[in-house]
Amino acid sequence: MELSVLWFILVTVLFIGFFFLEGFDYGVGILLPFLGKNDTERRVLINTIGPVWDGNEVWMITAGGAMFAAFPHVYATLFSGFYLALFLMLMALIVRGVAFEFRSKDGDPAWRSTWDWMIFAGSAVPALLWGVAVANLIQGVPINAEMQYVGTFFDLLSPYTLVGGMAFFLVFTFHGAMYLTLKTEEQMVERARQAAIRAGALAAVFCLALVGMTYTNTDLFTRMGAGIALWGAVALFAGAYGAMYVKRYGWGFILSSLTIVLTTVAFFWGLFPRLIVSSLNPSWSLTITNSASTPYTLTIMTIAALTLVPVVLVYQAWVYWTFRKRVSVKELEY
């Protein structure tokens, strides 16, 4: 296997891990002001992700770093073309991180309520923008023969990409509610279940719209494996929704996680061997061939990844095992 192909697969795996882990993380943040009826309940919700949220974001940083080192032309085009969108996402993530640390530093209800809404905004904006970004990559953006983005910020916003953004936002919210049914106690479990049912119903509408518009706006379904994966994700989502409805929370979360995994696989499979599709001329698309680093660089990166990634995986698994219990009001740290 060529190293450029290997690194396309590794970048895909990193984004799968990121969307799976940060998906429920964002979902909890989005639901925070609505499910927590008082300060203690909102602290319970924050403590379900408190020990793991920053570790989850490492997957995004690693994916971005891998993209930069393995496919530098993609990184340059992406960051220049999506500059404003990525700036908004970065600001939202900074506000979110600060909110987790500052929220409980003062007992003033107004202070805590303000930071709760900052956590909501810092979770909702990235969830929405990731959907918009993925939809743009597969639909195509204006890139010229010199691999430069020649559009504006508003060229990134189309009916298809906005539907993609809403689909990601609602699926992450659904995923977060599923996670809360496994991490909270008593009335909060039923409240999270009701939130999952409502968010899941809306997510089903936008997911079906996204699949239909993907058929008409992109060439994803010309790749049989990508099409099967996308329809498989829809089937798994229906299973997750049904499991939540009959209160099989563990199965619901597993199926919800697999929905995100298969959706990510479908879009990256649809892209391959491209990384960004050019809407001006298909031959100007950035691919794993014209945007990859030198074989020497990819070789060094492969050795480093094979050495360090298992360590990171073991460490993160240990963290989740350590904090595997349901969160009680008697053990609040955040």
Side-chain angles (χ1 to χ4, degrees):
M1 179 185 295
E2 294 182 10
L3 288 178
S4 58
V5 176
L6 174 64
W7 274 96
F8 179 89
I9 295 172
L10 290 176
V11 169
T12 303
V13 170
L14 290 170
F15 273 106
I16 288 172
F18 170 64
F19 287 141
F20 159 52
L21 294 172
E22 197 71 3
F24 67 72
D25 202 326
Y26 287 155
V28 173
I30 291 167
L31 292 168
L32 174 65
F34 308 105
L35 290 189
K37 300 301 183 186
N38 54 51
D39 182 63
T40 300
E41 289 185 352
R42 286 191 287 275
R43 287 191 68 193
V44 168
L45 297 177
I46 291 172
N47 274 266
T48 63
I49 56 174
V52 298
W53 72 268
D54 45 359
N56 294 342
E57 285 194 355
V58 169
W59 287 77
M60 178 186 69
I61 296 168
T62 307
M67 183 78 79
F68 171 70
F71 305 105
H73 294 299
V74 170
Y75 193 86
T77 303
L78 195 66
F79 271 71
S80 60
F82 291 26
Y83 181 80
L84 183 54
L86 292 172
F87 176 77
L88 289 174
M89 187 182 297
L90 180 61
M91 289 298 102
L93 293 175
I94 290 174
V95 166
R96 185 170 186 261
V98 171
F100 280 127
E101 298 299 328
F102 276 48
R103 182 195 181 279
S104 297
K105 300 294 185 185
D106 193 313
D108 182 12
W111 168 275
R112 294 195 171 191
S113 177
T114 300
W115 287 116
D116 288 342
W117 284 104
M118 293 298 102
I119 292 173
F120 166 79
S123 304
V125 171
L128 184 71
L129 290 179
W130 274 116
V132 172
V134 171
N136 269 297
L137 293 180
I138 190 73
Q139 177 183 247
V141 292
I143 296 174
N144 63 19
E146 285 74 42
M147 300 184 184
Q148 294 178 349
Y149 180 81
V150 291
T152 67
F153 171 75
F154 295 102
D155 290 321
L156 302 176
L157 305 178
S158 68
Y160 175 66
T161 59
L162 291 175
V163 167
M166 283 303 299
F168 272 57
F169 173 86
L170 290 166
V171 167
F172 287 162
T173 305
F174 176 70
H175 195 43
M178 306 280 257
Y179 176 75
L180 288 175
T181 63
L182 299 175
K183 293 293 291 181
T184 56
E185 297 178 325
E186 302 175 348
Q187 297 95 337
M188 188 62 75
V189 175
E190 178 58 25
R191 219 179 290 165
R193 174 177 170 269
Q194 291 298 327
I197 290 173
R198 287 191 288 271
L202 287 173
V205 173
F206 277 92
C207 286
L208 288 175
L210 179 64
V211 172
M213 294 177 79
T214 297
Y215 186 81
T216 57
N217 289 41
T218 76
D219 61 359
L220 182 146
F221 282 97
T222 61
R223 293 158 170 79
M224 185 179 294
I228 292 173
L230 196 55
W231 279 116
V234 172
L236 288 169
F237 179 83
Y241 191 82
M244 180 57 59
Y245 206 83
V246 297
K247 302 184 179 181
R248 301 296 297 271
Y249 302 130
W251 278 108
F253 183 73
I254 291 171
L255 293 173
S256 171
S257 303
L258 291 175
T259 299
I260 292 174
V261 170
L262 269 192
T263 301
T264 311
V265 168
F267 278 99
F268 274 85
W269 196 327
L271 276 173
F272 185 81
R274 306 159 299 178
L275 287 156
I276 307 178
V277 176
S278 171
S279 59
L280 302 180
N281 187 331
S283 64
W284 295 344
S285 298
L286 275 73
T287 69
I288 62 171
T289 302
N290 64 17
S291 60
S293 292
T294 64
Y296 178 76
T297 301
L298 294 177
T299 301
I300 296 297
M301 288 176 59
T302 304
I303 294 171
L306 291 175
T307 306
L308 299 176
V309 170
V311 177
V312 174
L313 291 176
V314 169
Y315 172 74
Q316 194 153 32
W318 175 77
V319 170
Y320 272 93
W321 176 257
T322 302
F323 296 99
R324 66 188 181 281
K325 294 181 181 178
R326 290 181 183 270
V327 175
S328 166
V329 294
K330 300 176 183 177
E331 301 170 343
L332 299 179
E333 298 290 337
Y334 293 85

